[in-house]
Amino acid sequence: YDTIRDIYAQEPKAHELGLTSSEFSMNVAGGRCECCQGTGYQKIVLTYLPDSYVKCPECNGKRFNDTVLSVKHRGFSITDVLDSSVEDVISIFKEAPGVYEKLSCMIKIGLGYVKLGQMSMNLSGGEAQRIRLATQIGSSLIGVLYILDEPSIGLHQRDNQKLIDNLLYLRDIGNTVIVVEHDEDTMREADYLIDVGPGAGAFGGEIVAAGTPKQVARNSKSITGQYLSGKRAIPIPDERRVGNGRFIEVTGARENNLQNITARFPLGK
């Protein structure tokens, strides 16, 4: 984000108004909205419920004052950029290698849908790990040990291969990658697989099997191996339960990455 602030500070309009990169920061006074201190939201503390967040009445969620918002880069204000997804905004930074490369890494790892200004508390654990992973991919460091805890959480299955390809890339350039994961595709791509069990919690904690995915698949004591070999499977039922005709309805969900989603979930099925 520092590079993006510098780009806006170099715009002719910014020079005309005497703005520096610090005015485009949400963390310091000067260009940010002081009512919400640059967050765009105000927190409402509730006694018996989780804290709630509402748009700032002063800036209407735009985070900055009107002077800063009058500066545009290729038609986008700084708020426009922060409110846009990586995929939607990457094209305006093609001539800014430091920004373009990092955004490209985020797309490669399946994070193109994330908004640049999204609050970190609205990211799933897997998304937060993948953002840090994208930073590491861009740096091309070697000789590093990476430990990831279920990085596929929150990732759509269609983007799973993007994550796997980047984990393999980190390995291939000379790093060691250790991943705690339940995803079958990720397990099959591993050079070495360790199955801890046999059960969960107090019923596990032992190394049941270790080796290549094919070796683990041949281990009759490994439940994971039995699923990898196809000896065990979770069958899709031929018939679904009818249900009781009642539903739980979610209306206008906008938390995390949900965008005004309305859905009905049948009960008793």
Side-chain angles (χ1 to χ4, degrees), residues 103-125:
L103 297 182
S104 296
C105 287
M106 291 184 69
I107 292 175
K108 289 177 182 176
I109 211 162
L111 289 169
Y113 61 89
V114 173
K115 291 183 179 180
L116 287 185
Q118 187 165 326
M119 291 189 290
S120 59
M121 67 178 184
N122 287 341
L123 296 169
S124 71

Side-chain angles (χ1 to χ4, degrees), residues 194-209 221-224:
I194 300 174
D195 182 19
V196 179
F203 302 99
E206 301 177 7
I207 296 179
V208 178
K221 295 181 180 179
S222 170
I223 296 176
T224 299

Side-chain angles (χ1 to χ4, degrees), residues 66-202:
D66 291 339
T67 301
V68 170
L69 293 176
S70 68
V71 179
K72 303 289 180 67
H73 176 68
R74 295 194 173 183
F76 285 74
S77 71
I78 189 70
T79 294
D80 293 334
V81 168
L82 293 173
D83 286 345
S84 298
S85 68
V86 173
E87 290 174 332
D88 290 339
V89 83
I90 188 173
S91 60
I92 74 169
F93 293 113
K94 279 188 175 181
E95 298 176 6
V99 178
Y100 187 79
E101 291 172 358
K102 290 178 180 177
L103 297 182
S104 296
C105 287
M106 291 184 69
I107 292 175
K108 289 177 182 176
I109 211 162
L111 289 169
Y113 61 89
V114 173
K115 291 183 179 180
L116 287 185
Q118 187 165 326
M119 291 189 290
S120 59
M121 67 178 184
N122 287 341
L123 296 169
S124 71
E127 287 169 337
Q129 287 189 84
R130 293 198 299 279
I131 287 176
R132 290 193 292 270
L133 191 60
T135 302
Q136 296 300 312
I137 291 170
S139 66
S140 296
L141 294 174
I142 61 173
V144 178
L145 170 63
Y146 294 98
I147 302 177
L148 302 169
D149 184 10
E150 298 194 80
S152 66
I153 291 178
L155 184 65
H156 194 284
Q157 194 62 35
R158 68 186 178 193
D159 292 325
N160 202 39
Q161 191 58 46
K162 294 181 181 179
L163 171 62
I164 294 172
D165 289 343
N166 282 279
L167 294 177
L168 294 175
Y169 166 78
L170 286 174
R171 178 204 64 184
D172 293 342
I173 64 174
N175 299 296
T176 300
V177 183
I178 298 175
V179 183
V180 180
E181 188 59 88
H182 293 91
D183 176 69
E184 179 182 347
D185 294 334
T186 304
M187 286 190 279
R188 291 188 182 281
E189 291 284 356
D191 296 320
Y192 198 81
L193 194 61
I194 300 174
D195 182 19
V196 179

